[in-house]
Amino acid sequence: MIVSNQSWIEHFAGLARLPAEIRGQLLRAAKIVSLPSGTRIYGPGQAPEAFLLLLEGTVRVQQVSESGREIVLYRVTSGESCALTTACLMGYEDYLAEAIAETDIQAVAIPRDLFDDLIAKSSLFRRFVFTAFSVRVTNLFRVIDDVAFSRMDIRLAEKLLELSVGTKTVAATQQQIASELGTAREVVSRILAEFQRKQWITAIRGAITLEDRAALEKLARDR
């Protein structure tokens, strides 16, 4: 998908309803950027320079500990903004996590000075920003709740079912799944070994085949 500097605003209903004067400001100041898969968009210690809106692709936002352990906080997909960028812009803080392009992406970058100006003077723009932010924060609290309180075997069953929609095989390493769940690879390995003993899955290097989807779905319902 190729979006021009004059048409991107129509991809976001909340912005398309803005007065013509403000839409004009956005169209004149914002820039469309394209980045290849694997690009590190931002990282800890960096200050945000623009409000980002994703037009195409997927961005993974993750936290990495000093020991190198990763936890996926959320993903940003087409039509969404990055909640961490919003928080850092409004709080004048540096990033504490990193964002990685999981696919080739196309995004709109609204300069910080214009973002600050529109937040101050446009109620419609504020509503657009805060609505997206509140939805993401609510989802993030669900992630925290899952990590803190949910049984890991249930969460792993749910993740396997989620990743295998439309197919029988999940093409992911145990470390990648552990990062998705916010746990250690050894924990995932132990539970997968138990699933395999029960003949629910077959695990090989870099792939997991679901042999008994019904059993995994039954476990996931035990939440």
Side-chain angles (χ1 to χ4, degrees), residues 3 37-38 43 66 73-74 102 129 149-150 152 175 183 199 219:
V3 179
S37 176
E66 292 182 0
L73 300 176
Y74 58 87
E102 288 193 319
V129 172
F149 303 114
S150 296
M152 188 55 66
Q175 182 57 60
T183 190
Q199 299 183 337
L219 175 60

Side-chain angles (χ1 to χ4, degrees), residues 43-119:
Q46 293 179 331
E49 298 178 353
F51 179 60
L52 300 175
L53 298 169
L54 199 61
L55 290 166
E56 186 174 41
T58 303
V59 174
R60 181 178 73 254
V61 179
Q62 62 187 23
Q63 186 87 44
V64 182
S65 70
E66 292 182 0
S67 63
R69 178 174 160 187
E70 299 174 354
I71 177 171
V72 177
L73 300 176
Y74 58 87
R75 284 179 169 82
V76 185
T77 57
S78 176
E80 296 179 338
S81 59
C82 175
L84 184 56
T85 297
T86 303
C88 291
L89 284 169
M90 293 191 298
Y92 291 88
E93 298 284 347
D94 293 342
Y95 289 111
L96 295 175
E98 66 178 4
I100 307 295
E102 288 193 319
T103 65
D104 293 346
I105 67 166
Q106 190 176 53
V108 178
I110 300 173
R112 174 165 203 155
D113 56 351
L114 180 57
F115 174 84
D116 289 343
D117 183 52
L118 294 183
I119 282 287

Side-chain angles (χ1 to χ4, degrees), residues 5-6 8-9 20-31 109 111 114:
N5 285 333
Q6 298 303 311
W8 66 263
I9 205 167
E21 178 187 353
I22 294 178
R23 290 202 312 272
Q25 286 182 274
L26 286 169
L27 291 173
R28 287 191 297 272
K31 291 182 170 40
L114 180 57

Side-chain angles (χ1 to χ4, degrees), residues 26 48 60 64 79 88 90 92-93 108 122 125 135 140 146 151 157 177 187 213 218 221:
L26 286 169
R60 181 178 73 254
V64 182
C88 291
M90 293 191 298
Y92 291 88
E93 298 284 347
V108 178
S122 172
F125 185 78
V135 169
L140 188 55
D146 281 346
R151 278 172 42 190
I177 293 175
V187 174
R213 192 178 191 91
K218 183 177 183 301
R221 287 195 298 270

Side-chain angles (χ1 to χ4, degrees), residues 121-182:
K121 74 181 185 183
S122 172
S123 60
L124 285 177
F125 185 78
R126 280 198 305 275
R127 185 180 306 163
F128 170 79
V129 172
F130 291 162
T131 297
F133 182 72
S134 63
V135 169
R136 182 63 70 190
V137 169
T138 299
N139 291 339
L140 188 55
F141 271 105
R142 292 196 184 102
V143 172
I144 295 170
D145 184 70
D146 281 346
V147 171
F149 303 114
S150 296
R151 278 172 42 190
M152 188 55 66
D153 59 339
I154 293 176
R155 293 183 60 218
L156 179 54
E158 290 175 334
K159 181 57 65 175
L160 292 175
L161 292 168
E162 174 191 331
L163 295 175
S164 65
V165 172
T167 183
K168 188 179 178 181
T169 300
V170 175
T173 66
Q174 293 181 12
Q175 182 57 60
Q176 288 171 329
I177 293 175
S179 297
E180 294 280 344
L181 296 174

